[in-house]
């Protein structure tokens, strides 16, 4: 029976992606070999990674002044790689959640990493407003969407220094002027594919300016020179990246995806705000389109709601331990039908109270 997968990640992929990926695991493009066993330097795989890199730039509307890398280590490795490559004197960080906080702490190992705004004291329920960063900062780092607390930047901060963004949980969920960013990184396992690869989009002229020596595996310039093949990449994960990017284009691109995601979010937030047994966690003006976080007004009713969700084949909806309650992750590939099922469960939860 169909599961409605609201997992925060690794998360849902489109059925078409699963089908093509499973076929390629058995026989990749008629080669008689699995995509998991072909050489990463073979012409067949080079076509995969180069096509995926080109699609990232095309979907983002960026030119060849940017480079696309497929790396390993997840977004957490980028907490380290960004300051290694960009932080010479000091950097600015906006602290809007657990992952933003971790990124700042990693950067502080390399130089001054100044928190210029934070919502930590208020439980990360909102995005700080009116932040302007200029002067002698090497870059400003933000986390565009916060999976744990369900907040999202709907307006970017004003800055005259390069803007760096962790977009792991909302990349390609909506149109943005991606040229406003000097560097973007995202773990694949939410909107871009399977776990195992990390996408980095970097403006090439930002690199080569720090005085420190950079270890080979952490050097963006070396990975660019090696075309993401300095070491053996996550070949199957990158192939899934390609399938997801092609699927995204086939859906109509970022404008169509935004309409799809807003329809899901509006439906679910509407029920949360209407239902007297539920309360949303994040401030309304900063709510995420990707992660809908809510709590119960009476925690003693949790077992009943959990039972209703299980009966409806709803999976992955439990909230993060730091917030409690529930979190419905409604990434690109989640169909509206799944949100409709969840909304009906929440209505039934109220009716049977």
């Amino acid at each position: 029976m169909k599961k409605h997968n609201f997992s925060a990640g690794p998360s849902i992929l489109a059925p078409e992606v699963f089908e093509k990926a499973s076929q390629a695991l058995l026989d990749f493009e008629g080669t008689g070999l699995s995509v998991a066993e072909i050489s990463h330097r073979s012409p067949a795989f080079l076509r995969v990674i180069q096509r995926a890199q080109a699609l990232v730039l095309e979907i983002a509307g960026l030119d060849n002044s940017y480079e696309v890398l497929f790396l390993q280590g997840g977004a957490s490795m980028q907490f380290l790689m960004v300051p290694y490559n960009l932080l010479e004197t000091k950097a600015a960080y906006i602290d809007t959640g657990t992952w933003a906080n971790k990124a700042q702490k990693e950067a502080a190992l390399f130089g001054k990493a100044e928190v210029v705004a934070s919502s930590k004291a208020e439980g990360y329920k909102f995005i700080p407003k009116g932040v302007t960063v200029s002067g002698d900062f090497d870059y400003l780092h933000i986390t565009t969407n916060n999976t744990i607390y369900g907040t999202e930047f709907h307006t970017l901060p004003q800055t005259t220094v390069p803007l760096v963004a962790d977009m792991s949980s909302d990349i390609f969920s909506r149109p943005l002027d991606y040229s406003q960013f000097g560097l973007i990184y995202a773990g694949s396992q939410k909107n871009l594919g399977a776990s195992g690869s990390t996408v980095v989009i970097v403006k090439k002229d930002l690199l080569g300016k720090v005085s420190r020596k950079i270890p080979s595996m952490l050097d963006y310039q070396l990975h660019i020179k090696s075309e993401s093949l300095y070491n053996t990449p996550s070949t199957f994960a990158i192939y899934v990246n390609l399938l997801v990017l092609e699927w995204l284009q086939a859906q109509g691109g970022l404008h169509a995806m935004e309409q799809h995601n807003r329809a899901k979010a509006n439906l679910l937030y509407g029920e949360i705000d209407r239902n007297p047994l539920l309360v949303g966690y994040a401030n309304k003006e900063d709510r995420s389109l990707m992660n809908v976080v809510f709590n119960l007004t009476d925690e003693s009713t949790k077992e009943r709601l959990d039972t209703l969700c299980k009966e409806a084949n709803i999976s992955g909806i439990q909230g993060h331990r730091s917030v409690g309650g529930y979190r419905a992750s409604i990434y690109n590939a989640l169909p509206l039908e799944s949100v409709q099922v969840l909304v009906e469960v929440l209505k039934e939860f109220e009716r049977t109270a």
Side-chain angles (χ1 to χ4, degrees):
M1 187 172 291
K2 177 180 174 60
K3 286 278 189 178
H4 302 283
N5 183 9
F6 291 89
S7 172
S11 59
I12 188 169
L13 295 175
E16 303 96 308
V17 171
F18 280 124
E19 182 177 351
K20 291 179 181 178
S22 62
Q23 291 171 351
L25 275 173
L26 298 174
D27 184 353
F28 177 59
E29 296 185 349
T31 61
L33 297 171
S34 168
V35 70
E37 65 179 336
I38 61 172
S39 168
H40 62 291
R41 299 192 184 279
S42 66
F45 182 72
L46 290 178
R47 288 193 295 271
V48 168
I49 193 168
Q50 289 167 2
R51 172 64 173 155
Q53 290 168 325
L55 276 177
V56 168
L57 291 179
E58 183 178 337
I59 292 169
L62 297 173
D63 59 27
N64 61 9
S65 64
Y66 287 82
E67 192 73 36
V68 177
L69 298 170
F70 288 96
L71 304 177
Q72 299 172 54
S76 295
M77 180 63 80
Q78 297 309 307
F79 300 164
L80 173 68
M81 287 186 73
V82 166
Y84 234 134
N85 286 265
L86 301 184
L87 176 53
E88 179 70 10
T89 305
K90 65 176 181 176
Y93 279 73
I94 298 180
D95 178 18
T96 52
T98 297
W99 306 112
N101 184 263
K102 288 185 176 183
Q104 184 271 333
K105 287 181 177 177
E106 291 292 292
L109 299 174
F110 297 89
K112 186 175 182 181
E114 183 177 327
V115 177
V116 295
S118 176
S119 53
K120 184 177 182 178
E122 291 78 19
Y124 293 127
K125 290 187 175 185
F126 68 95
I127 298 294
K129 310 296 190 303
V131 181
T132 301
V133 175
S134 58
D136 55 353
F137 288 104
D138 295 313
Y139 61 87
L140 167 63
H141 180 285
I142 64 173
T143 303
T144 51
N145 185 77
N146 303 285
T147 56
I148 293 175
Y149 306 96
T151 62
E152 187 172 24
F153 277 86
H154 297 296
T155 302
L156 296 176
Q158 296 296 308
T159 178
T160 59
V161 303
L163 183 59
V164 174
D166 176 357
M167 290 191 181
S168 292
S169 53
D170 69 339
I171 192 168
F172 294 164
S173 62
R174 53 181 173 156
L176 281 176
D177 180 1
Y178 286 92
S179 68
Q180 294 182 77
F181 299 90
L183 188 150
I184 295 164
Y185 62 91
S188 290
Q189 66 274 12
K190 301 176 189 295
N191 264 352
L192 288 178
S195 59
S197 74
T198 305
V199 177
V200 176
I201 310 169
V202 58
K203 196 169 180 62
K204 288 179 280 189
D205 64 11
L206 290 184
L207 303 176
K209 297 180 180 179
V210 295
S211 56
R212 70 175 60 86
K213 293 183 178 180
I214 304 174
S216 297
M217 281 296 293
L218 302 178
D219 188 343
Y220 288 133
Q221 287 187 306
L222 182 57
H223 284 292
I224 290 171
K225 183 179 179 181
S226 304
E227 299 179 324
S228 294
L229 300 173
Y230 177 74
N231 66 319
T232 305
S234 300
T235 52
F236 177 68
I238 293 170
Y239 177 66
V240 178
N241 287 145
L242 173 60
L243 296 181
V244 171
L245 292 165
E246 291 176 339
W247 172 84
L248 180 61
Q249 276 203 322
Q251 305 312 300
L254 298 187
H255 287 283
M257 199 54 56
E258 180 182 36
Q259 291 179 350
H260 172 61
N261 290 328
R262 287 197 181 279
K264 293 182 294 184
N266 289 342
L267 179 62
L268 186 48
Y269 282 125
E271 173 59 21
I272 290 168
D273 292 339
R274 184 206 64 79
N275 195 317
L277 304 184
L278 311 173
V279 58
Y281 183 82
N283 288 6
K284 289 184 179 181
E285 67 271 17
D286 297 321
R287 283 173 165 175
S288 168
L289 292 180
M290 296 284 95
N291 307 100
V292 179
V293 180
F294 61 97
N295 296 89
L296 301 175
T297 55
D298 180 358
E299 283 297 318
S300 70
T301 61
K302 184 178 188 306
E303 183 177 350
R304 185 162 57 84
L305 180 54
D306 290 348
T307 298
L308 289 171
C309 288
K310 184 178 180 179
E311 290 173 349
N313 288 306
I314 290 171
S315 175
I317 200 173
Q318 294 299 320
H320 190 272
R321 60 186 176 276
S322 61
V323 177
Y326 296 86
R327 171 177 55 181
S329 296
I330 53 176
Y331 299 125
N332 284 352
L334 186 83
L336 180 62
E337 173 199 352
S338 290
V339 178
Q340 291 169 335
V341 169
L342 176 55
V343 167
E344 286 305 311
V345 165
L346 296 176
K347 289 179 177 178
E348 179 66 14
F349 177 55
E350 180 191 11
R351 284 193 295 267
T352 58

